Amino acid sequence: SHIGSIESVLGLVAFFPAFPNSTKTLRMSSDPHWIAGTSREFNLVNFTDLAGNMLADTAVHVIWSPANSAQRGDIVLTEIMADPTPHEDLPDCEWAEVLNRSNRHFDVQFWHWWDEGSSELIQLVPRPPWDGFLHPGDRVLISGCDEAVLDGAAPEAHIDGAAAFNDAGDGLGLIRSDGMLLDAIHYRQTWWEGDNGGVSLQVIHPGACAANINWQRSQAAGGCTPGTPSEQEISTPLENNSLIIEQLVPTSKWTGFIDFNEAIDPLSTA
């Protein structure tokens, strides 16, 4: 037999038997330069087994996505279907859409769904055939539906036993396994500015304010755009204005208020 070499962009990778007397499994040494959530290619060269059979030189693409690697702002809620009835083309159940706006890959199985109407955090479980890796720029639909919302046309994750979204208003969000909040929204029925039956609520600027000024009733012909960006989301450029304190007024020994020149993201005060 012949032990070959493993190469990466940083050069040769050290490896050794994973277990005592192991002949089938090799453990690679850790790479301190590998950034969580990124991918790397490894080239396996000149490996043979005990019978002399040679492994064809092979390139392996690997994603390292440990728990709690996603940061605030990497993952954002972009669409909420709180009242799916009536809708002819989709299942009769609530769902939310989430966008990976970062340049890293994440395993959604490390995340939990939060609903302010429930004391339970529910782990996200990828619906087959999706493997649960949310790649840069990709979107995933999250639901407690018994069936897939789009029947495999987009990545989906199941939240088994999740509470139904409240039509009148609710708080929804994603939390890492260590308890860190990734994103959340506290919506109200008035945000739809009309009947919300079969019509979703869609974000305008992903990653910006979680208040009602950054969300609108869907204007799509079908009432929603699950798994894809809406025209509302991409049509209006985000103004890059500096946030300025206009006045700070004490109202008592213990309280007061601050006026800013722009609306404040509710989540930024948490």
Side-chain angles (χ1 to χ4, degrees):
S1 66
H2 176 73
I3 300 295
S5 62
I6 302 177
E7 304 169 351
S8 75
V9 293
L10 296 177
L12 294 176
V13 177
F15 57 89
F16 46 89
F19 309 102
N21 303 318
S22 171
T23 59
K24 292 184 177 181
T25 306
L26 297 177
R27 185 188 302 275
M28 294 175 14
S29 62
S30 60
D31 181 354
H33 303 287
W34 196 347
I35 300 172
T38 62
S39 61
R40 181 162 294 176
E41 184 176 278
F42 294 90
N43 297 304
L44 281 69
V45 181
N46 296 328
F47 280 85
T48 61
D49 65 14
L50 295 175
N53 300 306
M54 176 172 284
L55 173 73
D57 292 352
T58 303
V60 181
H61 188 75
V62 180
I63 297 173
W64 178 46
S65 181
N68 307 322
S69 57
Q71 302 298 317
R72 177 76 174 276
D74 288 341
I75 306 300
V76 294
L77 289 156
T78 50
E79 189 169 5
I80 305 292
M81 178 63 84
D83 184 0
T85 306
H87 203 291
E88 298 179 357
D89 302 325
L90 300 175
D92 186 19
C93 62
E94 301 92 350
W95 50 266
E97 179 190 85
V98 171
L99 166 68
N100 177 3
R101 59 192 297 266
S102 78
N103 61 357
R104 294 179 294 153
H105 310 261
F106 301 115
D107 187 345
V108 305
Q109 296 176 88
F110 292 125
W111 302 342
H112 292 78
W113 184 251
W114 167 80
D115 187 317
E116 70 176 351
S118 172
S119 59
E120 184 179 5
L121 295 177
I122 301 178
Q123 183 180 7
L124 272 62
V125 178
R127 290 186 186 271
W130 187 46
D131 60 6
F133 277 94
L134 191 62
H135 303 295
D138 282 358
R139 296 166 190 256
V140 57
L141 299 181
I142 300 173
S143 77
C145 308
D146 294 332
E147 58 184 307
V149 176
L150 293 180
D151 195 24
E156 298 193 34
H158 187 225
I159 41 176
D160 187 31
F165 300 176
N166 192 326
D167 297 355
D170 209 342
L172 307 171
L174 282 173
I175 294 179
R176 294 192 328 191
S177 57
D178 65 351
M180 175 182 165
L181 178 68
L182 293 173
D183 195 29
I185 179 176
H186 293 265
Y187 67 85
R188 296 294 176 260
Q189 201 280 333
T190 54
W191 291 16
W192 274 264
E193 297 181 348
D195 182 29
N196 62 350
V199 180
S200 72
L201 195 65
Q202 295 189 319
V203 76
I204 302 172
H205 306 299
C209 183
N212 61 333
I213 61 172
N214 196 36
W215 289 81
Q216 289 181 344
R217 174 191 178 90
S218 175
Q219 298 173 9
C224 58
T225 58
T228 59
S230 71
E231 292 184 0
Q232 295 158 258
E233 179 182 317
I234 62 176
S235 62
T236 308
L238 182 62
E239 294 181 2
N240 188 18
N241 295 328
S242 298
L243 185 62
I244 299 172
I245 295 175
E246 293 188 337
Q247 63 174 337
L248 193 158
V249 181
T251 55
S252 74
K253 184 177 179 179
W254 299 277
T255 61
F257 63 83
I258 304 174
D259 280 340
F260 294 89
N261 64 323
E262 301 286 347
I264 299 298
D265 181 352
L267 294 181
S268 71
T269 62

